[in-house]
Amino acid sequence: MDWFGLLALDELSHGLANLSMFPYFDVAHYVVSIMALREQPGALEVSRVSPLACWFSSMLFCFGGAVLSAIMLAEPAVAPLSNSTSVLLASITWYLVFYCPVDLVYCCAALLPLRLVLSGMKEVTRTWKVLGGVTQAHGKYKDSLLVMIAIGWAKGAGGGLISNFEQLVRGVWKPETNEFLKMSYPTKITLIGAVLFALQQTHYLPVKTHHLMLVYTVFTVVNKARMMLTGSSASPFAVVESAIYKTLFTGHSPYAALAVEVKRACIDRGATNGTTPAGAKEVGGNGAVEGQSGSLKAKEESEKKIN
Amino acid sequence: MDWFGLLALDELSHGLANLSMFPYFDVAHYVVSIMALREQPGALEVSRVSPLACWFSSMLFCFGGAVLSAIMLAEPAVAPLSNSTSVLLASITWYLVFYCPVDLVYCCAALLPLRLVLSGMKEVTRTWKVLGGVTQAHGKYKDSLLVMIAIGWAKGAGGGLISNFEQLVRGVWKPETNEFLKMSYPTKITLIGAVLFALQQTHYLPVKTHHLMLVYTVFTVVNKARMMLTGSSASPFAVVESAIYKTLFTGHSPYAALAVEVKRACIDRGATNGTTPAGAKEVGGNGAVEGQSGSLKAKEESEKKIN
Amino acid sequence: MDWFGLLALDELSHGLANLSMFPYFDVAHYVVSIMALREQPGALEVSRVSPLACWFSSMLFCFGGAVLSAIMLAEPAVAPLSNSTSVLLASITWYLVFYCPVDLVYCCAALLPLRLVLSGMKEVTRTWKVLGGVTQAHGKYKDSLLVMIAIGWAKGAGGGLISNFEQLVRGVWKPETNEFLKMSYPTKITLIGAVLFALQQTHYLPVKTHHLMLVYTVFTVVNKARMMLTGSSASPFAVVESAIYKTLFTGHSPYAALAVEVKRACIDRGATNGTTPAGAKEVGGNGAVEGQSGSLKAKEESEKKIN
């Protein structure tokens, strides 16, 4: 790619690729992750009642991706614990964020300028984690794009993907919410990163690894900063998502009216055959979803997001 | 076995054993599985709100057995994803069943004759999956009947056994129901298959593999067809189950009256010792179960099934 | 250590270390574990409705530690099933405890003297399990204290740690309770044992293995007997726990008043920045916890325990 040469970005991307995550970026990741845990409803309460549950939850926030990808690849789930230095750093961070006298650490780190820098540094670690997952899967399953995407995604966004079970450690159980039903921004950007790096590793995307690292890192950091500064949680992909959703999944078609007829016939036949499709009545004529199963409270929010 | 020779079934069973599941039988399995998902309450709603959750749920319906048996044998849970062709076929099926314009695919496949054929073909894949699981376990744990049964069962009926977690993906959580508390017909027939194939592999059952495959396949297909045509969900094993249950698990005995006395003494003693057995009062005099834990709503249905 | 030589305890500890757990101690473990399951609310009901769910639950009570540590180390979770003799013994125990005519076995085993002996023998098996877990982890992860503690703990107290999922098998779901939020005595003593054996194996604790085994076994057995005889559930570590908790986790400090001010400023700033820390209001001025998330019902009990 000539552009990188022309703009003297080649050296920058090499420099970035050789950057060591340990210790500064890792610590920033721990601080931001554990602060996110502290800001969960009920988390402070748990930290007073059961420091152990709080510590375990924090470790899942910090190392969730490593644990999840280890389970998916049948590697020891306990392996992240074997890196004593990381666990020690994360534990110290946990202690300072939750129990520091005068609550000094949390208050300082929560100041916008510092939080901005820490969040930016955390975004940088995401690139490394996603790439690490993708290359690890590439080593085991040559040319299996899906496995590479899955492992890269799990490694980069593990904390979010296992959030149901992380919450369970703290005595919270919200089955109606999960990252599959309603993807949060970090999970989404990690999935996109995993797709890009998987395509790059299998040479479908003709870019060099360090160039893609630079572009992806800059994008995530800039976007995160923008979201924090403007306080907006609007996804930068909303337009694309909406277009894809409308094209592929709504079933809007010139035959909509016909579809209703066909379906009605279909249901009637099903009923007489004794194999009534339980969910068949749930889709309205023009593809609109009519609330029925009260358990799915995440629906409305999700619809807002997608549309 | 002479019978097979006499009836010229030997060649038939050889022919069956050499049948390739890919692609027709596999696709039938995907279609029937994903239609079963679509007929779950709330599933259509989820398919509109979050296609990703719907896709992931569908993959668990299609490859649940492979994932569960992989976890039980400490093999990569992500391995089924590495078979790109299968995942692609299952994904296309998923798309067509849920989002096909005019809902054509679902409506056609839901027509009784076609559904009958597809369900029959799905039953055929069960034999292959159970046998695959049993032989895989046989290779790892020589002569351990229990492991062979467990893996064969998991591979053949994985989707049902992990249904709690599959539902969680869709935001549904029904802890009071699972396949252990109230086994469905497919889970039951798979368990029986796993036991038979495990006994056959360890030579306790003096039959040839392809003969057993023929007999088991014919039984499952015929039985499935019978159930679909008559609309009955009566298990063909109800009588045997009931007999086993009454003999082994009810505790009906000539000493029933005595038992009450002994138990009463027992409880009194427990109470004075300060170690009251919390559940001891729950069994009535003649072994009848008195509803107490309101959370267990599956009870009544299960009782109906067993008796 | 001279003391052991002087008191002729050296031979005793060697004798203990060479003791075989199979079959007597193992059976005692099965009996006590399955009786504990039977005394769970609703368990007897499940045993009548679904013997299979009851059997599976019992196996998780008996082999939960082995299953959990296998999953953590990426070894086959199904491995405990491959030891046919153990599974057979546990299954016979399960049958006799739940379905024995006249309920003879449960009533006899529930008699205080016999239960005392069985519980003592079960405590002995704990030493072996913890040590087994620690040495297994030591073989895989040299010098990683945390992994050794985690595996030793999982192996010794697995049934408790996976209790949420064991309950799920029986159709019970109590997300607000788990061993991390409110540790029970057996889980606590196992954790202490795992720490001690891990320190001993890495030579931080200059004791011989068989000496530590003797001391730990005697302590657990004596303590269990004391708790059963006095009917008290007071933890012998309550004082130490309370001291550690007060020192490290309450945040009582001479700056408490200041802390409130700082925090208030902090929250105000957060609010204006649009990044209100959701949980920040939950901690009162002097570190007292104010009940807010109604879902956390385990709180009050836990507080009682800790203070």
Side-chain angles (χ1 to χ4, degrees), chain A residues 38-46 48-53 56 74-79 81-82 84 87 94-95 99 102-103 106-107 111-112 165 168-173, chain C residues 72-74 141 144 146-147 150 153 165 173 175-176 178 180-181 183 245 248-250 255 259 262-263 266 269 273 277-279 282-283 289-293 296 299 302 306:
Chain A
R38 195 184 139 137
E39 288 160 12
Q40 298 280 312
L44 261 182
E45 211 177 1
V46 168
R48 303 299 155 188
V49 167
S50 169
L52 181 72
F56 191 56
E75 288 171 0
V78 92
L81 279 182
S82 70
S84 308
V87 176
W94 158 77
Y95 185 81
Y99 307 105
V102 216
D103 213 4
Y106 177 76
C107 281
L111 292 172
L112 188 59
F165 297 98
L168 185 56
V169 171
R170 294 185 278 122
V172 176
W173 186 245
Chain C
M72 287 165 71
L73 286 171
Y141 295 92
S144 174
L146 271 171
V147 175
W153 193 29
F165 297 97
W173 186 245
E176 71 281 1
N178 68 50
F180 289 105
L181 278 176
M183 226 187 269
Y245 181 79
L248 291 178
F249 299 119
T250 49
Y255 308 108
V262 173
K263 198 168 295 142
C266 202
R269 207 161 31 228
N273 288 340
E282 283 176 34
V283 171
V289 182
E290 271 143 37
Q292 181 155 325
S293 102
L296 200 78
K299 200 203 72 170
S302 304
I306 289 168

Side-chain angles (χ1 to χ4, degrees), chain A residues 189-208:
Chain A
I189 191 78
T190 311
L191 179 55
I192 291 167
V195 171
L196 290 178
F197 280 109
L199 289 173
Q200 189 272 326
Q201 290 287 313
T202 47
H203 307 293
Y204 290 111
L205 199 71
V207 200
K208 283 183 187 159

Side-chain angles (χ1 to χ4, degrees), chain B residues 228-246:
Chain B
M228 285 183 73
L229 289 173
T230 61
S232 112
S233 64
S235 165
F237 320 109
V239 179
V240 181
E241 269 174 36
S242 174
I244 293 178
Y245 180 80
K246 277 188 184 149

